[in-house]
């Protein structure tokens, strides 16, 4: 709790699969988890989960959207313990429109919003952010 972890790797390295497995492991430990994807549809995420997770926990919630405002509202409504944001570059906050997803402004402000959520004094959360590495070292 009260933490933000960033997972980065090249596209196709398995970040989403790893975090989906981590999400279910947290659910098995008694946590409530929201997995929010800005890249894949709910049905795509469900198919992956069925492929890699034997028993999907009841408290694993999936959301497919590009609106971080909607994700934050859902996380608060569900009162989750952990939030996965996959990937941060695909999300926007309405306050910073018309700046588009992936722009420096949106990416930084979305990341800051996630830190705010994690550090909430009333109900701190674990937040995991996925970041794409698109350029070679």
């Amino acid at each position: 709790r009260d933490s933000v972890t960033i997972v980065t790797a090249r596209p196709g390295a398995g970040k989403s699969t790893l975090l989906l497995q981590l999400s279910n492991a947290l659910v098995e430990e008694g946590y409530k988890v929201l997995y929010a994807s800005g890249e894949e549809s709910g049905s795509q995420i469900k198919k992956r989960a069925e492929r890699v997770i034997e028993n999907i926990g009841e408290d694993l919630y999936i959301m497919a959207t590009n609106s971080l405002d909607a994700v934050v509202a859902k996380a608060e409504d569900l009162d989750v313990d952990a939030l996965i944001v996959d990937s941060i570059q695909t999300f926007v906050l309405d306050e910073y429109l018309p700046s588009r997803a992936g722009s420096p402004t949106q990416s930084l402000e979305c990341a800051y919003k996630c830190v705010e959520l994690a550090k909430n004094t009333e109900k701190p959360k674990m937040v995991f952010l996925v970041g794409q590495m698109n350029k070679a070292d």
Side-chain angles (χ1 to χ4, degrees):
R1 296 192 194 259
D2 190 18
S3 66
V4 178
T5 302
I6 301 172
V7 177
T8 63
R10 70 185 187 289
K15 300 175 296 296
S16 298
T17 300
L18 175 69
L19 286 172
L20 194 54
Q21 292 169 317
L22 171 67
S23 297
N24 201 64
L26 288 169
V27 167
E28 289 175 352
E29 294 294 318
Y31 295 103
K32 194 182 288 188
V33 180
L34 174 60
Y35 184 103
S37 177
E39 295 184 310
E40 295 180 308
S41 69
S43 63
Q44 287 174 306
I45 299 164
K46 185 178 179 200
K47 284 179 187 172
R48 177 183 302 123
E50 289 169 347
R51 245 187 1 258
V52 300
I53 299 170
E54 189 172 320
N55 294 311
I56 301 169
E58 273 186 37
D59 282 334
L60 174 55
Y61 300 91
I62 304 296
M63 184 174 192
T65 183
N66 293 102
S67 170
L68 193 63
D69 295 301
V71 170
V72 169
K74 188 66 151 181
E76 290 171 348
D77 182 52
L78 293 170
D79 194 26
V80 298
D81 302 295
L83 172 65
I84 313 293
V85 178
D86 185 7
S87 85
I88 193 66
Q89 295 100 320
T90 62
F91 286 88
V92 295
L93 287 166
D94 290 345
E95 179 180 355
Y96 299 98
L97 292 173
S99 188
R100 70 190 199 313
S103 70
T105 298
Q106 285 288 1
S107 294
L108 288 170
E109 294 300 333
C110 285
Y112 180 71
K113 188 67 162 181
C114 290
V115 170
E116 255 182 18
L117 192 63
K119 301 291 182 180
N120 181 314
T121 54
E122 292 178 25
K123 175 85 189 258
K125 299 177 184 353
M126 294 173 267
V127 177
F128 297 87
L129 304 178
V130 175
Q132 295 288 347
M133 289 178 41
N134 294 322
K135 296 183 180 181
D137 291 331

